[in-house]
Amino acid sequence: MLEILFFCITAAAIAGFLNHKVLKMPPAIGITIISSLFVLLIEATNGFQSTDTGNKILSFIKEINFYDFLLNGALGFLLFASAIKIDVQLLKNYWRQISSLATIGVLFTSFIIAGLLYLVSGALGIQLPFIWCLLFGAFISPTDPIAALAILKSANAPKSLEMKLAGEAMFNDGMAIVIFMSVFGIAAKGVEFNVVHFGVDLVKEIFGAVAFGGALGALYCYIMKHIKDLTTTLIFTLSLCLGSYMGALLLHFSAPISVVVSGLVVGTTIKKIFSEHEREHVEMFWEFLDELLNISLFIIIGLEVVLITFTWDIVIFGVIAFAVVCLSRLLGIILTVIPLRKYLLRGTVPLLSWGGIRGGISLALALAVGNTTYGNTLLPITFIVVILSGIVQGLTLKTVINYYYPNEEDKHLVWYEKLGESLRINLLVCQMTKLTDKFVNFVLRLKPVSQEPHAVLVDSQTIEELNDVSVTNEENNF
């Protein structure tokens, strides 16, 4: 056991060191790549079978229940850590946009992915039933903003874009899991689908989670107001995180939404009653947990490659599925913003679309169906989509940001950015961004009020009524 524990901790440390010194990529991307290559290299050289320690490590990897680790463990801490640090006032400014993207947007994206993937699978002769394509759409729709937010902070992107991307990611996990569980019941267990029953369950899970998380958070806030000891306060925040997540599971509410709401409530109270020094300690504690769990998550994602069987047909299908997911994300956001498009900032839709990088929750849900009839197809294509999403979207997102928000001061380029320039990949990404921008404006029938790269987009009737106040009021903009 000590050998395995040593291996996991050392692998995380070495992967982090190599990424920092060599790859210089966002940790979410670099550590996953390094751990995957490490496992593939050892397996290719029969390193696992050559020693008793290797066999133990291989057995350990195969016994990891990634679904249980993430959904019944790490996810609650990760979401709570994000929620407790977030600026609630800024979040309130964009609640319409964030709630729309995290609910309606996930539904639209899931069904668009299902439709396109069903057509593609038929064309490739794989023949996935539509309900299984919808299941794939459900667990590939939620986004993981870790890599995207790291890039947004280093680029010249506005704070509002960070908030929309982070806010959507905090809440869309819960929505995706609700859809996944409903569709999985139909696909694997033959449960008859009932629209009314599904709608009632959806409303109950979401609103029940909000009410439960908010009430529990308020109770803990009342207690914490009478506590002066910082250590005790930190223990109470841990208790709240676990209680809001576990309690929601027991009550059949959405645990991810419940833990986010409780984190937002207690985070607001901490900002009001604690000094800046005390707030820093609380945030540093949760930031450490966040980083530790994220690194563990990236390592495990990389290690999971040893459990997956790939064929050339599956690899081709996975690459096409990645393109389908990207296109569906864009179309899903376009459909979502139609009622909220009165003042749409140019670049918001393409940036939200390309910044929607897939992560651990998609792979965890795919592993949950790995032993089912079509699990041996869905699992490898999910892994391919997650890896390609991190590499392709994650490493080119900065170029897309710079298209709309040029940063003349940032002249430092890491090796993969220099390689992208020399191979003209950055130019290709800019051309694709330009075409996407035109496509969004055409579909939504909007045009910019000025020539600025991130100008406000409005329809022809509204442009005549605009004044400086309405244009510059960010809260009105999507």
Side-chain angles (χ1 to χ4, degrees), residues 3-4 42 46-63:
E3 292 173 335
I4 295 171
I42 293 179
N46 292 321
F48 281 129
Q49 286 78 23
S50 61
T51 62
D52 289 338
T53 301
N55 285 321
K56 288 179 181 178
I57 292 171
L58 182 60
S59 299
F60 172 73
I61 293 171
K62 290 182 177 180
E63 289 173 5

Side-chain angles (χ1 to χ4, degrees), residues 176-460:
I177 291 171
V178 172
I179 299 173
F180 168 80
M181 297 305 293
S182 299
V183 177
F184 186 53
I186 301 168
K189 302 174 184 177
V191 178
E192 186 178 350
F193 180 71
N194 185 300
V195 177
V196 176
H197 183 67
F198 172 74
V200 171
D201 282 349
L202 190 63
V203 171
K204 186 191 79 170
E205 289 216 22
I206 293 174
F207 285 94
V210 172
F212 177 72
L216 195 61
L219 175 62
Y220 272 71
C221 286
Y222 176 78
I223 297 171
M224 288 166 61
K225 285 178 182 179
H226 298 84
I227 298 173
K228 302 299 180 183
D229 181 58
L230 185 59
T231 302
T232 306
T233 299
L234 291 174
I235 294 172
F236 264 96
T237 59
L238 276 171
S239 172
L240 175 61
C241 173
L242 291 167
S244 58
Y245 198 87
M246 292 169 57
L249 287 175
L250 292 172
L251 294 170
H252 302 290
F253 298 149
S254 173
I257 293 176
S258 174
V259 78
V260 167
V261 172
S262 66
L264 292 173
V265 172
V266 79
T268 303
T269 300
I270 287 173
K271 290 179 177 68
K272 290 179 180 178
I273 65 175
F274 286 169
S275 66
E276 185 177 349
H277 177 70
E278 291 172 323
R279 290 200 304 270
E280 285 179 0
H281 275 77
V282 174
E283 290 182 1
M284 284 176 62
F285 171 77
W286 280 102
E287 191 170 336
F288 170 74
L289 278 182
D290 192 24
E291 292 292 334
L292 181 64
L293 288 171
N294 273 315
I295 290 174
S296 302
L297 183 62
F298 305 145
I299 285 290
I300 293 175
I301 289 175
L303 296 178
E304 290 296 322
V305 69
V306 78
L307 306 179
I308 303 172
T309 302
F310 295 96
T311 63
W312 281 112
D313 289 342
I314 290 295
V315 171
I316 293 170
F317 190 24
V319 173
I320 296 173
F322 169 66
V324 165
V325 169
C326 291
L327 177 61
S328 302
R329 164 80 174 172
L330 175 64
L331 295 176
I333 293 176
I334 290 175
L335 291 173
T336 304
V337 305
I338 288 175
L340 303 168
R341 70 191 182 99
K342 186 175 182 181
Y343 301 111
L344 180 67
L345 287 177
R346 183 180 179 187
T348 297
V349 173
L351 284 170
L352 285 175
S353 174
W354 202 240
I357 298 171
R358 270 62 190 180
I361 190 168
S362 297
L363 189 57
L365 294 174
L367 284 164
V369 303
N371 295 324
T372 57
T373 308
Y374 296 96
N376 59 344
T377 300
L378 294 180
L379 179 55
I381 68 171
T382 303
F383 186 85
I384 292 170
V385 170
V386 169
I387 294 296
L388 286 180
S389 180
I391 295 174
V392 178
Q393 292 176 250
L395 299 185
T396 59
L397 179 59
K398 190 175 180 181
T399 303
V400 180
I401 295 169
N402 288 335
Y403 179 84
Y404 294 103
Y405 300 93
N407 189 0
E408 300 297 334
E409 297 179 1
D410 185 15
K411 300 296 183 181
H412 176 70
L413 299 177
V414 292
W415 68 269
Y416 57 84
E417 292 173 333
K418 293 177 182 177
L419 181 64
E421 283 198 347
S422 63
L423 296 177
R424 296 186 175 274
I425 295 174
N426 292 354
L427 181 62
L428 176 63
V429 172
C430 287
Q431 290 299 319
M432 290 178 62
T433 305
K434 186 177 181 180
L435 289 173
T436 303
D437 194 57
K438 289 183 177 180
F439 174 73
V440 171
N441 297 350
F442 173 76
V443 172
L444 295 177
R445 297 182 179 180
L446 299 173
K447 57 184 177 181
V449 298
S450 72
Q451 297 302 313
E452 292 182 358
H454 51 279
V456 174
L457 298 169
V458 296
D459 56 50
S460 301

Side-chain angles (χ1 to χ4, degrees), residues 63-105:
E63 289 173 5
I64 292 175
N65 189 333
F66 186 47
Y67 177 88
D68 188 60
F69 168 77
L70 183 59
L71 267 69
N72 295 327
L75 182 61
F77 290 99
L78 291 169
L79 292 174
F80 191 87
S82 298
I84 201 171
K85 296 180 292 184
I86 208 161
D87 187 340
V88 176
Q89 189 55 51
L90 192 58
L91 187 69
K92 286 180 181 178
N93 293 341
Y94 303 103
W95 72 269
R96 288 187 296 272
Q97 298 94 320
I98 291 170
S99 59
S100 298
L101 289 169
T103 53
I104 302 170

Side-chain angles (χ1 to χ4, degrees), residues 114-191:
L116 293 177
L117 195 73
Y118 179 73
L119 296 175
V120 170
S121 68
L124 293 177
I126 297 175
Q127 297 297 335
L128 273 177
F130 179 80
I131 194 66
W132 287 91
C133 293
L134 182 57
L135 188 68
F136 174 78
F139 60 63
I140 206 68
S141 292
T143 56
D144 185 348
I146 297 168
L149 289 178
I151 297 165
L152 286 171
K153 288 175 181 176
S154 66
N156 193 30
K159 191 70 177 177
S160 59
L161 184 61
E162 288 183 38
M163 183 57 62
K164 292 167 192 172
L165 202 59
E168 179 202 359
M170 279 197 303
F171 289 101
N172 66 14
D173 288 348
M175 183 68 178
I177 291 171
V178 172
I179 299 173
F180 168 80
M181 297 305 293
S182 299
V183 177
F184 186 53
I186 301 168
K189 302 174 184 177
V191 178

Side-chain angles (χ1 to χ4, degrees), residues 3-68:
E3 292 173 335
I4 295 171
L5 187 62
F6 170 76
F7 168 78
C8 289
I9 294 175
T10 305
I14 293 173
F17 175 78
L18 289 175
N19 180 61
H20 179 70
K21 291 292 185 181
V22 182
L23 292 185
K24 302 183 187 298
M25 294 179 178
I29 303 168
I31 292 176
T32 303
I33 292 173
I34 290 170
S35 58
S36 296
L37 292 175
F38 176 70
V39 171
L40 289 172
L41 179 63
I42 293 179
E43 189 178 25
T45 57
N46 292 321
F48 281 129
Q49 286 78 23
S50 61
T51 62
D52 289 338
T53 301
N55 285 321
K56 288 179 181 178
I57 292 171
L58 182 60
S59 299
F60 172 73
I61 293 171
K62 290 182 177 180
E63 289 173 5
I64 292 175
N65 189 333
F66 186 47
Y67 177 88
D68 188 60

